[in-house]
Amino acid sequence: DSGVTQTPKHLITATGQRVTLRCSPRSGDLSVYWYQQSLDQGLQFLIQYYNGEERAKGNILERFSAQQFPDLHSELNLSSLELGDSALYFCASSARLAGGTGELFFGEGSRLTVL
Amino acid sequence: AQSVTQLDSQVPVFEEAPVELRCNYSSSVSVYLFWYVQYPNQGLQLLLKYLSGSTLVKGINGFEAEFNKSQTSFHLRKPSVHISDTAEYFCAVSLGGGGSNYKLTFGKGTLLTVNP
């Protein structure tokens, strides 16, 4: 158990809909990362938050947004969903921003299926 | 920007055989290197990491990896695999030096299948 909790574990929805994925980082971790894993693209970095602020952005679509709340949990919002958004979405956390070693602790993922 | 190439998408081996999973990276600056493992229906967990110092790094479950700067490689090895090692293995790189906005860049993964 990594200590990172993601909900829901599975989600099935239709094209055009909007969903919210939730992540609770390990106790004490300030950084949260979102990754998308699909068969064709592999693991793609989406976005990183540190203590409530956006710190780095990767291949995140404009239809996607995220935020980190004062209690450090994070939500990833996916809107106007398309079939190609079907993927496993991982949240990860780490303890430190500057001076960190890059070790991330991953949740078990939220599997999104868009029909 | 850094990138990672895992040279084999699938590696089938027999139980108790040795295995090497290959990883090459490219970066114009110093990097930290990682191997993560993903068991079926689970998240990723860290196997081992290279930050600095000795180029031979030992990790969990009997795995080790060697950092080779001249060949920009970080291959993962295990002398004798077990059925339970069947999983997907990801090589990853982040910028070294503890920069403030580091992120992990992952390779596409290597599926290791250990057969009896």
Side-chain angles (χ1 to χ4, degrees), chain B residues 38-76:
Chain B
Q38 183 180 24
Y39 297 104
N41 300 313
Q42 294 188 26
L44 282 74
Q45 66 182 82
L46 183 69
L47 264 183
L48 48 79
K49 60 186 175 185
Y50 171 78
L51 306 180
S52 64
S54 172
T55 57
L56 184 63
V57 179
K58 293 190 184 296
I60 62 172
N61 300 340
F63 284 92
E64 63 181 32
E66 185 156 20
F67 170 61
N68 188 319
K69 188 174 182 179
S70 62
Q71 297 187 6
T72 60
S73 68
F74 190 55
H75 300 333
L76 181 71

PDB file of all heavy atoms in Angstrom, chain B residues 38-76:
ATOM      1  N   GLN B  38       5.034  -2.466 -12.316  1.00  0.00           N
ATOM      2  CA  GLN B  38       3.575  -2.418 -12.222  1.00  0.00           C
ATOM      3  C   GLN B  38       3.033  -3.833 -12.354  1.00  0.00           C
ATOM      4  O   GLN B  38       3.081  -4.432 -13.434  1.00  0.00           O
ATOM      5  CB  GLN B  38       2.991  -1.520 -13.316  1.00  0.00           C
ATOM      6  CG  GLN B  38       1.488  -1.361 -13.232  1.00  0.00           C
ATOM      7  CD  GLN B  38       0.916  -0.465 -14.313  1.00  0.00           C
ATOM      8  OE1 GLN B  38       1.516  -0.296 -15.379  1.00  0.00           O
ATOM      9  NE2 GLN B  38      -0.228   0.144 -14.063  1.00  0.00           N
ATOM     10  N   TYR B  39       2.534  -4.368 -11.263  1.00  0.00           N
ATOM     11  CA  TYR B  39       1.887  -5.671 -11.298  1.00  0.00           C
ATOM     12  C   TYR B  39       0.463  -5.507 -11.824  1.00  0.00           C
ATOM     13  O   TYR B  39      -0.106  -4.410 -11.756  1.00  0.00           O
ATOM     14  CB  TYR B  39       1.898  -6.311  -9.916  1.00  0.00           C
ATOM     15  CG  TYR B  39       3.287  -6.577  -9.402  1.00  0.00           C
ATOM     16  CD1 TYR B  39       3.858  -5.769  -8.421  1.00  0.00           C
ATOM     17  CD2 TYR B  39       4.051  -7.619  -9.909  1.00  0.00           C
ATOM     18  CE1 TYR B  39       5.146  -5.991  -7.962  1.00  0.00           C
ATOM     19  CE2 TYR B  39       5.339  -7.849  -9.460  1.00  0.00           C
ATOM     20  CZ  TYR B  39       5.870  -7.026  -8.495  1.00  0.00           C
ATOM     21  OH  TYR B  39       7.147  -7.244  -8.064  1.00  0.00           O
ATOM     22  N   PRO B  40      -0.129  -6.563 -12.340  1.00  0.00           N
ATOM     23  CA  PRO B  40      -1.463  -6.456 -12.929  1.00  0.00           C
ATOM     24  C   PRO B  40      -2.460  -5.797 -11.988  1.00  0.00           C
ATOM     25  O   PRO B  40      -2.524  -6.129 -10.798  1.00  0.00           O
ATOM     26  CB  PRO B  40      -1.825  -7.918 -13.209  1.00  0.00           C
ATOM     27  CG  PRO B  40      -0.511  -8.576 -13.440  1.00  0.00           C
ATOM     28  CD  PRO B  40       0.434  -7.912 -12.487  1.00  0.00           C
ATOM     29  N   ASN B  41      -3.183  -4.846 -12.514  1.00  0.00           N
ATOM     30  CA  ASN B  41      -4.238  -4.138 -11.782  1.00  0.00           C
ATOM     31  C   ASN B  41      -3.730  -3.392 -10.556  1.00  0.00           C
ATOM     32  O   ASN B  41      -4.469  -3.221  -9.577  1.00  0.00           O
ATOM     33  CB  ASN B  41      -5.341  -5.112 -11.367  1.00  0.00           C
ATOM     34  CG  ASN B  41      -5.973  -5.778 -12.566  1.00  0.00           C
ATOM     35  OD1 ASN B  41      -6.312  -5.118 -13.544  1.00  0.00           O
ATOM     36  ND2 ASN B  41      -6.097  -7.089 -12.523  1.00  0.00           N
ATOM     37  N   GLN B  42      -2.492  -2.980 -10.599  1.00  0.00           N
ATOM     38  CA  GLN B  42      -1.939  -2.209  -9.494  1.00  0.00           C
ATOM     39  C   GLN B  42      -1.251  -0.952 -10.006  1.00  0.00           C
ATOM     40  O   GLN B  42      -1.036  -0.796 -11.208  1.00  0.00           O
ATOM     41  CB  GLN B  42      -0.941  -3.058  -8.697  1.00  0.00           C
ATOM     42  CG  GLN B  42      -1.571  -4.232  -7.966  1.00  0.00           C
ATOM     43  CD  GLN B  42      -0.580  -4.911  -7.053  1.00  0.00           C
ATOM     44  OE1 GLN B  42       0.374  -4.320  -6.583  1.00  0.00           O
ATOM     45  NE2 GLN B  42      -0.823  -6.191  -6.789  1.00  0.00           N
ATOM     46  N   GLY B  43      -0.915  -0.077  -9.089  1.00  0.00           N
ATOM     47  CA  GLY B  43      -0.148   1.103  -9.449  1.00  0.00           C
ATOM     48  C   GLY B  43       1.332   0.769  -9.566  1.00  0.00           C
ATOM     49  O   GLY B  43       1.733  -0.386  -9.428  1.00  0.00           O
ATOM     50  N   LEU B  44       2.113   1.777  -9.830  1.00  0.00           N
ATOM     51  CA  LEU B  44       3.556   1.575  -9.977  1.00  0.00           C
ATOM     52  C   LEU B  44       4.230   1.644  -8.615  1.00  0.00           C
ATOM     53  O   LEU B  44       3.845   2.451  -7.769  1.00  0.00           O
ATOM     54  CB  LEU B  44       4.160   2.660 -10.876  1.00  0.00           C
ATOM     55  CG  LEU B  44       3.964   2.503 -12.374  1.00  0.00           C
ATOM     56  CD1 LEU B  44       2.547   2.812 -12.793  1.00  0.00           C
ATOM     57  CD2 LEU B  44       4.936   3.408 -13.121  1.00  0.00           C
ATOM     58  N   GLN B  45       5.238   0.827  -8.433  1.00  0.00           N
ATOM     59  CA  GLN B  45       6.034   0.925  -7.211  1.00  0.00           C
ATOM     60  C   GLN B  45       7.508   0.932  -7.576  1.00  0.00           C
ATOM     61  O   GLN B  45       7.933   0.325  -8.564  1.00  0.00           O
ATOM     62  CB  GLN B  45       5.710  -0.199  -6.227  1.00  0.00           C
ATOM     63  CG  GLN B  45       6.081  -1.586  -6.684  1.00  0.00           C
ATOM     64  CD  GLN B  45       5.680  -2.639  -5.664  1.00  0.00           C
ATOM     65  OE1 GLN B  45       4.536  -3.077  -5.611  1.00  0.00           O
ATOM     66  NE2 GLN B  45       6.620  -3.048  -4.844  1.00  0.00           N
ATOM     67  N   LEU B  46       8.274   1.633  -6.765  1.00  0.00           N
ATOM     68  CA  LEU B  46       9.680   1.832  -7.051  1.00  0.00           C
ATOM     69  C   LEU B  46      10.472   0.546  -6.811  1.00  0.00           C
ATOM     70  O   LEU B  46      10.365  -0.072  -5.755  1.00  0.00           O
ATOM     71  CB  LEU B  46      10.230   2.945  -6.169  1.00  0.00           C
ATOM     72  CG  LEU B  46      11.686   3.319  -6.411  1.00  0.00           C
ATOM     73  CD1 LEU B  46      11.838   3.996  -7.780  1.00  0.00           C
ATOM     74  CD2 LEU B  46      12.192   4.245  -5.311  1.00  0.00           C
ATOM     75  N   LEU B  47      11.272   0.152  -7.802  1.00  0.00           N
ATOM     76  CA  LEU B  47      12.184  -0.983  -7.662  1.00  0.00           C
ATOM     77  C   LEU B  47      13.534  -0.522  -7.165  1.00  0.00           C
ATOM     78  O   LEU B  47      14.106  -1.096  -6.250  1.00  0.00           O
ATOM     79  CB  LEU B  47      12.394  -1.648  -9.030  1.00  0.00           C
ATOM     80  CG  LEU B  47      11.570  -2.863  -9.415  1.00  0.00           C
ATOM     81  CD1 LEU B  47      12.034  -3.365 -10.765  1.00  0.00           C
ATOM     82  CD2 LEU B  47      11.672  -3.952  -8.373  1.00  0.00           C
ATOM     83  N   LEU B  48      14.073   0.505  -7.816  1.00  0.00           N
ATOM     84  CA  LEU B  48      15.379   1.036  -7.448  1.00  0.00           C
ATOM     85  C   LEU B  48      15.576   2.389  -8.105  1.00  0.00           C
ATOM     86  O   LEU B  48      14.828   2.756  -9.003  1.00  0.00           O
ATOM     87  CB  LEU B  48      16.514   0.073  -7.849  1.00  0.00           C
ATOM     88  CG  LEU B  48      16.518  -0.503  -9.261  1.00  0.00           C
ATOM     89  CD1 LEU B  48      17.039   0.493 -10.277  1.00  0.00           C
ATOM     90  CD2 LEU B  48      17.364  -1.780  -9.317  1.00  0.00           C
ATOM     91  N   LYS B  49      16.619   3.092  -7.631  1.00  0.00           N
ATOM     92  CA  LYS B  49      16.901   4.414  -8.187  1.00  0.00           C
ATOM     93  C   LYS B  49      18.392   4.686  -8.158  1.00  0.00           C
ATOM     94  O   LYS B  49      19.110   4.195  -7.277  1.00  0.00           O
ATOM     95  CB  LYS B  49      16.163   5.493  -7.405  1.00  0.00           C
ATOM     96  CG  LYS B  49      16.544   5.562  -5.929  1.00  0.00           C
ATOM     97  CD  LYS B  49      15.659   6.566  -5.190  1.00  0.00           C
ATOM     98  CE  LYS B  49      15.958   6.554  -3.695  1.00  0.00           C
ATOM     99  NZ  LYS B  49      15.028   7.423  -2.933  1.00  0.00           N
ATOM    100  N   TYR B  50      18.841   5.450  -9.127  1.00  0.00           N
ATOM    101  CA  TYR B  50      20.210   5.943  -9.161  1.00  0.00           C
ATOM    102  C   TYR B  50      20.162   7.458  -9.032  1.00  0.00           C
ATOM    103  O   TYR B  50      19.544   8.140  -9.851  1.00  0.00           O
ATOM    104  CB  TYR B  50      20.925   5.559 -10.461  1.00  0.00           C
ATOM    105  CG  TYR B  50      22.251   6.256 -10.587  1.00  0.00           C
ATOM    106  CD1 TYR B  50      23.365   5.798  -9.883  1.00  0.00           C
ATOM    107  CD2 TYR B  50      22.384   7.421 -11.343  1.00  0.00           C
ATOM    108  CE1 TYR B  50      24.570   6.471  -9.957  1.00  0.00           C
ATOM    109  CE2 TYR B  50      23.585   8.085 -11.419  1.00  0.00           C
ATOM    110  CZ  TYR B  50      24.675   7.612 -10.726  1.00  0.00           C
ATOM    111  OH  TYR B  50      25.869   8.289 -10.779  1.00  0.00           O
ATOM    112  N   LEU B  51      20.851   7.958  -8.012  1.00  0.00           N
ATOM    113  CA  LEU B  51      20.930   9.401  -7.818  1.00  0.00           C
ATOM    114  C   LEU B  51      22.353   9.886  -8.067  1.00  0.00           C
ATOM    115  O   LEU B  51      22.584  10.878  -8.766  1.00  0.00           O
ATOM    116  CB  LEU B  51      20.489   9.767  -6.397  1.00  0.00           C
ATOM    117  CG  LEU B  51      19.110   9.237  -5.980  1.00  0.00           C
ATOM    118  CD1 LEU B  51      18.789   9.662  -4.560  1.00  0.00           C
ATOM    119  CD2 LEU B  51      18.035   9.715  -6.939  1.00  0.00           C
ATOM    120  N   SER B  52      23.315   9.209  -7.459  1.00  0.00           N
ATOM    121  CA  SER B  52      24.720   9.544  -7.634  1.00  0.00           C
ATOM    122  C   SER B  52      25.531   8.427  -6.969  1.00  0.00           C
ATOM    123  O   SER B  52      24.964   7.498  -6.395  1.00  0.00           O
ATOM    124  CB  SER B  52      25.056  10.888  -7.000  1.00  0.00           C
ATOM    125  OG  SER B  52      24.865  10.829  -5.600  1.00  0.00           O
ATOM    126  N   GLY B  53      26.859   8.515  -7.077  1.00  0.00           N
ATOM    127  CA  GLY B  53      27.697   7.551  -6.390  1.00  0.00           C
ATOM    128  C   GLY B  53      27.889   6.274  -7.189  1.00  0.00           C
ATOM    129  O   GLY B  53      28.045   6.303  -8.409  1.00  0.00           O
ATOM    130  N   SER B  54      27.848   5.150  -6.494  1.00  0.00           N
ATOM    131  CA  SER B  54      28.103   3.860  -7.131  1.00  0.00           C
ATOM    132  C   SER B  54      27.154   3.637  -8.299  1.00  0.00           C
ATOM    133  O   SER B  54      25.943   3.856  -8.196  1.00  0.00           O
ATOM    134  CB  SER B  54      27.927   2.730  -6.113  1.00  0.00           C
ATOM    135  OG  SER B  54      27.996   1.474  -6.767  1.00  0.00           O
ATOM    136  N   THR B  55      27.725   3.174  -9.395  1.00  0.00           N
ATOM    137  CA  THR B  55      26.904   3.004 -10.603  1.00  0.00           C
ATOM    138  C   THR B  55      26.067   1.733 -10.562  1.00  0.00           C
ATOM    139  O   THR B  55      25.168   1.565 -11.371  1.00  0.00           O
ATOM    140  CB  THR B  55      27.798   2.983 -11.849  1.00  0.00           C
ATOM    141  OG1 THR B  55      28.770   1.933 -11.713  1.00  0.00           O
ATOM    142  CG2 THR B  55      28.505   4.315 -12.034  1.00  0.00           C
ATOM    143  N   LEU B  56      26.374   0.840  -9.641  1.00  0.00           N
ATOM    144  CA  LEU B  56      25.579  -0.382  -9.501  1.00  0.00           C
ATOM    145  C   LEU B  56      24.598  -0.172  -8.354  1.00  0.00           C
ATOM    146  O   LEU B  56      24.999   0.049  -7.210  1.00  0.00           O
ATOM    147  CB  LEU B  56      26.479  -1.583  -9.224  1.00  0.00           C
ATOM    148  CG  LEU B  56      25.749  -2.933  -9.144  1.00  0.00           C
ATOM    149  CD1 LEU B  56      25.086  -3.266 -10.479  1.00  0.00           C
ATOM    150  CD2 LEU B  56      26.714  -4.031  -8.734  1.00  0.00           C
ATOM    151  N   VAL B  57      23.335  -0.263  -8.687  1.00  0.00           N
ATOM    152  CA  VAL B  57      22.299   0.024  -7.702  1.00  0.00           C
ATOM    153  C   VAL B  57      21.495  -1.246  -7.451  1.00  0.00           C
ATOM    154  O   VAL B  57      21.074  -1.916  -8.387  1.00  0.00           O
ATOM    155  CB  VAL B  57      21.354   1.124  -8.226  1.00  0.00           C
ATOM    156  CG1 VAL B  57      20.272   1.401  -7.206  1.00  0.00           C
ATOM    157  CG2 VAL B  57      22.118   2.390  -8.545  1.00  0.00           C
ATOM    158  N   LYS B  58      21.293  -1.547  -6.185  1.00  0.00           N
ATOM    159  CA  LYS B  58      20.497  -2.728  -5.841  1.00  0.00           C
ATOM    160  C   LYS B  58      19.118  -2.287  -5.363  1.00  0.00           C
ATOM    161  O   LYS B  58      18.983  -1.285  -4.641  1.00  0.00           O
ATOM    162  CB  LYS B  58      21.202  -3.545  -4.773  1.00  0.00           C
ATOM    163  CG  LYS B  58      22.504  -4.168  -5.282  1.00  0.00           C
ATOM    164  CD  LYS B  58      23.076  -5.162  -4.311  1.00  0.00           C
ATOM    165  CE  LYS B  58      24.427  -5.683  -4.794  1.00  0.00           C
ATOM    166  NZ  LYS B  58      24.298  -6.437  -6.068  1.00  0.00           N
ATOM    167  N   GLY B  59      18.108  -3.057  -5.770  1.00  0.00           N
ATOM    168  CA  GLY B  59      16.755  -2.707  -5.398  1.00  0.00           C
ATOM    169  C   GLY B  59      16.049  -3.843  -4.684  1.00  0.00           C
ATOM    170  O   GLY B  59      16.672  -4.763  -4.179  1.00  0.00           O
ATOM    171  N   ILE B  60      14.727  -3.763  -4.694  1.00  0.00           N
ATOM    172  CA  ILE B  60      13.947  -4.797  -4.024  1.00  0.00           C
ATOM    173  C   ILE B  60      13.804  -6.022  -4.906  1.00  0.00           C
ATOM    174  O   ILE B  60      14.044  -5.958  -6.122  1.00  0.00           O
ATOM    175  CB  ILE B  60      12.552  -4.258  -3.629  1.00  0.00           C
ATOM    176  CG1 ILE B  60      11.755  -3.851  -4.883  1.00  0.00           C
ATOM    177  CG2 ILE B  60      12.679  -3.087  -2.673  1.00  0.00           C
ATOM    178  CD1 ILE B  60      10.316  -3.496  -4.599  1.00  0.00           C
ATOM    179  N   ASN B  61      13.434  -7.127  -4.301  1.00  0.00           N
ATOM    180  CA  ASN B  61      13.145  -8.377  -5.016  1.00  0.00           C
ATOM    181  C   ASN B  61      14.328  -8.908  -5.826  1.00  0.00           C
ATOM    182  O   ASN B  61      14.128  -9.624  -6.799  1.00  0.00           O
ATOM    183  CB  ASN B  61      11.935  -8.198  -5.951  1.00  0.00           C
ATOM    184  CG  ASN B  61      10.686  -7.805  -5.192  1.00  0.00           C
ATOM    185  OD1 ASN B  61      10.571  -8.008  -3.994  1.00  0.00           O
ATOM    186  ND2 ASN B  61       9.739  -7.214  -5.892  1.00  0.00           N
ATOM    187  N   GLY B  62      15.550  -8.570  -5.425  1.00  0.00           N
ATOM    188  CA  GLY B  62      16.732  -9.126  -6.076  1.00  0.00           C
ATOM    189  C   GLY B  62      17.138  -8.449  -7.372  1.00  0.00           C
ATOM    190  O   GLY B  62      18.034  -8.917  -8.066  1.00  0.00           O
ATOM    191  N   PHE B  63      16.481  -7.352  -7.719  1.00  0.00           N
ATOM    192  CA  PHE B  63      16.839  -6.630  -8.935  1.00  0.00           C
ATOM    193  C   PHE B  63      18.012  -5.679  -8.695  1.00  0.00           C
ATOM    194  O   PHE B  63      18.203  -5.182  -7.589  1.00  0.00           O
ATOM    195  CB  PHE B  63      15.638  -5.831  -9.461  1.00  0.00           C
ATOM    196  CG  PHE B  63      14.607  -6.669 -10.154  1.00  0.00           C
ATOM    197  CD1 PHE B  63      13.529  -7.197  -9.450  1.00  0.00           C
ATOM    198  CD2 PHE B  63      14.706  -6.932 -11.508  1.00  0.00           C
ATOM    199  CE1 PHE B  63      12.581  -7.981 -10.083  1.00  0.00           C
ATOM    200  CE2 PHE B  63      13.757  -7.711 -12.160  1.00  0.00           C
ATOM    201  CZ  PHE B  63      12.688  -8.239 -11.447  1.00  0.00           C
ATOM    202  N   GLU B  64      18.766  -5.446  -9.750  1.00  0.00           N
ATOM    203  CA  GLU B  64      19.824  -4.451  -9.710  1.00  0.00           C
ATOM    204  C   GLU B  64      19.918  -3.785 -11.071  1.00  0.00           C
ATOM    205  O   GLU B  64      19.430  -4.319 -12.083  1.00  0.00           O
ATOM    206  CB  GLU B  64      21.172  -5.073  -9.325  1.00  0.00           C
ATOM    207  CG  GLU B  64      21.694  -6.094 -10.316  1.00  0.00           C
ATOM    208  CD  GLU B  64      23.024  -6.701  -9.876  1.00  0.00           C
ATOM    209  OE1 GLU B  64      23.258  -6.847  -8.658  1.00  0.00           O
ATOM    210  OE2 GLU B  64      23.830  -7.025 -10.772  1.00  0.00           O
ATOM    211  N   ALA B  65      20.522  -2.612 -11.103  1.00  0.00           N
ATOM    212  CA  ALA B  65      20.689  -1.888 -12.360  1.00  0.00           C
ATOM    213  C   ALA B  65      22.032  -1.194 -12.345  1.00  0.00           C
ATOM    214  O   ALA B  65      22.552  -0.838 -11.281  1.00  0.00           O
ATOM    215  CB  ALA B  65      19.569  -0.873 -12.553  1.00  0.00           C
ATOM    216  N   GLU B  66      22.574  -1.004 -13.525  1.00  0.00           N
ATOM    217  CA  GLU B  66      23.873  -0.349 -13.640  1.00  0.00           C
ATOM    218  C   GLU B  66      23.756   0.898 -14.497  1.00  0.00           C
ATOM    219  O   GLU B  66      23.281   0.853 -15.637  1.00  0.00           O
ATOM    220  CB  GLU B  66      24.905  -1.292 -14.237  1.00  0.00           C
ATOM    221  CG  GLU B  66      26.308  -0.685 -14.265  1.00  0.00           C
ATOM    222  CD  GLU B  66      27.392  -1.737 -14.294  1.00  0.00           C
ATOM    223  OE1 GLU B  66      27.104  -2.886 -14.656  1.00  0.00           O
ATOM    224  OE2 GLU B  66      28.540  -1.398 -13.949  1.00  0.00           O
ATOM    225  N   PHE B  67      24.205   1.991 -13.923  1.00  0.00           N
ATOM    226  CA  PHE B  67      24.221   3.266 -14.644  1.00  0.00           C
ATOM    227  C   PHE B  67      25.495   3.345 -15.462  1.00  0.00           C
ATOM    228  O   PHE B  67      26.600   3.190 -14.938  1.00  0.00           O
ATOM    229  CB  PHE B  67      24.158   4.421 -13.647  1.00  0.00           C
ATOM    230  CG  PHE B  67      24.402   5.777 -14.252  1.00  0.00           C
ATOM    231  CD1 PHE B  67      23.572   6.272 -15.242  1.00  0.00           C
ATOM    232  CD2 PHE B  67      25.466   6.570 -13.819  1.00  0.00           C
ATOM    233  CE1 PHE B  67      23.787   7.522 -15.797  1.00  0.00           C
ATOM    234  CE2 PHE B  67      25.681   7.822 -14.366  1.00  0.00           C
ATOM    235  CZ  PHE B  67      24.843   8.300 -15.353  1.00  0.00           C
ATOM    236  N   ASN B  68      25.347   3.575 -16.756  1.00  0.00           N
ATOM    237  CA  ASN B  68      26.484   3.705 -17.642  1.00  0.00           C
ATOM    238  C   ASN B  68      26.375   5.041 -18.361  1.00  0.00           C
ATOM    239  O   ASN B  68      25.595   5.197 -19.306  1.00  0.00           O
ATOM    240  CB  ASN B  68      26.523   2.550 -18.650  1.00  0.00           C
ATOM    241  CG  ASN B  68      27.805   2.541 -19.463  1.00  0.00           C
ATOM    242  OD1 ASN B  68      28.292   3.604 -19.888  1.00  0.00           O
ATOM    243  ND2 ASN B  68      28.362   1.366 -19.676  1.00  0.00           N
ATOM    244  N   LYS B  69      27.152   6.005 -17.880  1.00  0.00           N
ATOM    245  CA  LYS B  69      27.019   7.363 -18.415  1.00  0.00           C
ATOM    246  C   LYS B  69      27.467   7.454 -19.863  1.00  0.00           C
ATOM    247  O   LYS B  69      26.845   8.139 -20.672  1.00  0.00           O
ATOM    248  CB  LYS B  69      27.824   8.341 -17.549  1.00  0.00           C
ATOM    249  CG  LYS B  69      27.590   9.796 -17.900  1.00  0.00           C
ATOM    250  CD  LYS B  69      28.304  10.714 -16.928  1.00  0.00           C
ATOM    251  CE  LYS B  69      28.027  12.174 -17.267  1.00  0.00           C
ATOM    252  NZ  LYS B  69      28.707  13.084 -16.305  1.00  0.00           N
ATOM    253  N   SER B  70      28.519   6.751 -20.212  1.00  0.00           N
ATOM    254  CA  SER B  70      29.057   6.853 -21.569  1.00  0.00           C
ATOM    255  C   SER B  70      28.088   6.262 -22.594  1.00  0.00           C
ATOM    256  O   SER B  70      28.006   6.731 -23.723  1.00  0.00           O
ATOM    257  CB  SER B  70      30.408   6.153 -21.666  1.00  0.00           C
ATOM    258  OG  SER B  70      30.272   4.769 -21.383  1.00  0.00           O
ATOM    259  N   GLN B  71      27.347   5.252 -22.174  1.00  0.00           N
ATOM    260  CA  GLN B  71      26.380   4.637 -23.068  1.00  0.00           C
ATOM    261  C   GLN B  71      24.956   5.129 -22.799  1.00  0.00           C
ATOM    262  O   GLN B  71      24.019   4.653 -23.441  1.00  0.00           O
ATOM    263  CB  GLN B  71      26.433   3.110 -22.948  1.00  0.00           C
ATOM    264  CG  GLN B  71      27.774   2.532 -23.363  1.00  0.00           C
ATOM    265  CD  GLN B  71      27.774   1.012 -23.405  1.00  0.00           C
ATOM    266  OE1 GLN B  71      26.740   0.380 -23.221  1.00  0.00           O
ATOM    267  NE2 GLN B  71      28.944   0.437 -23.640  1.00  0.00           N
ATOM    268  N   THR B  72      24.815   6.042 -21.907  1.00  0.00           N
ATOM    269  CA  THR B  72      23.523   6.590 -21.480  1.00  0.00           C
ATOM    270  C   THR B  72      22.503   5.469 -21.293  1.00  0.00           C
ATOM    271  O   THR B  72      21.406   5.484 -21.867  1.00  0.00           O
ATOM    272  CB  THR B  72      22.987   7.653 -22.459  1.00  0.00           C
ATOM    273  OG1 THR B  72      22.811   7.068 -23.759  1.00  0.00           O
ATOM    274  CG2 THR B  72      23.920   8.827 -22.537  1.00  0.00           C
ATOM    275  N   SER B  73      22.896   4.489 -20.490  1.00  0.00           N
ATOM    276  CA  SER B  73      22.021   3.342 -20.271  1.00  0.00           C
ATOM    277  C   SER B  73      21.825   3.105 -18.784  1.00  0.00           C
ATOM    278  O   SER B  73      22.636   3.515 -17.949  1.00  0.00           O
ATOM    279  CB  SER B  73      22.600   2.096 -20.934  1.00  0.00           C
ATOM    280  OG  SER B  73      23.790   1.690 -20.273  1.00  0.00           O
ATOM    281  N   PHE B  74      20.744   2.411 -18.494  1.00  0.00           N
ATOM    282  CA  PHE B  74      20.415   2.043 -17.108  1.00  0.00           C
ATOM    283  C   PHE B  74      19.645   0.732 -17.182  1.00  0.00           C
ATOM    284  O   PHE B  74      18.451   0.671 -16.924  1.00  0.00           O
ATOM    285  CB  PHE B  74      19.599   3.163 -16.460  1.00  0.00           C
ATOM    286  CG  PHE B  74      19.407   3.023 -14.969  1.00  0.00           C
ATOM    287  CD1 PHE B  74      20.511   2.889 -14.120  1.00  0.00           C
ATOM    288  CD2 PHE B  74      18.147   3.061 -14.398  1.00  0.00           C
ATOM    289  CE1 PHE B  74      20.350   2.787 -12.748  1.00  0.00           C
ATOM    290  CE2 PHE B  74      17.967   2.956 -13.029  1.00  0.00           C
ATOM    291  CZ  PHE B  74      19.072   2.817 -12.207  1.00  0.00           C
ATOM    292  N   HIS B  75      20.340  -0.328 -17.510  1.00  0.00           N
ATOM    293  CA  HIS B  75      19.699  -1.635 -17.713  1.00  0.00           C
ATOM    294  C   HIS B  75      19.396  -2.314 -16.383  1.00  0.00           C
ATOM    295  O   HIS B  75      20.203  -2.264 -15.451  1.00  0.00           O
ATOM    296  CB  HIS B  75      20.588  -2.544 -18.553  1.00  0.00           C
ATOM    297  CG  HIS B  75      20.891  -1.995 -19.915  1.00  0.00           C
ATOM    298  ND1 HIS B  75      20.058  -1.116 -20.583  1.00  0.00           N
ATOM    299  CD2 HIS B  75      21.968  -2.197 -20.739  1.00  0.00           C
ATOM    300  CE1 HIS B  75      20.582  -0.800 -21.752  1.00  0.00           C
ATOM    301  NE2 HIS B  75      21.739  -1.442 -21.874  1.00  0.00           N
ATOM    302  N   LEU B  76      18.269  -2.975 -16.347  1.00  0.00           N
ATOM    303  CA  LEU B  76      17.815  -3.685 -15.143  1.00  0.00           C
ATOM    304  C   LEU B  76      18.117  -5.171 -15.291  1.00  0.00           C
ATOM    305  O   LEU B  76      17.863  -5.748 -16.355  1.00  0.00           O
ATOM    306  CB  LEU B  76      16.306  -3.469 -14.971  1.00  0.00           C
ATOM    307  CG  LEU B  76      15.641  -4.119 -13.762  1.00  0.00           C
ATOM    308  CD1 LEU B  76      16.058  -3.413 -12.470  1.00  0.00           C
ATOM    309  CD2 LEU B  76      14.114  -4.064 -13.899  1.00  0.00           C
TER     310      LEU B  76
END
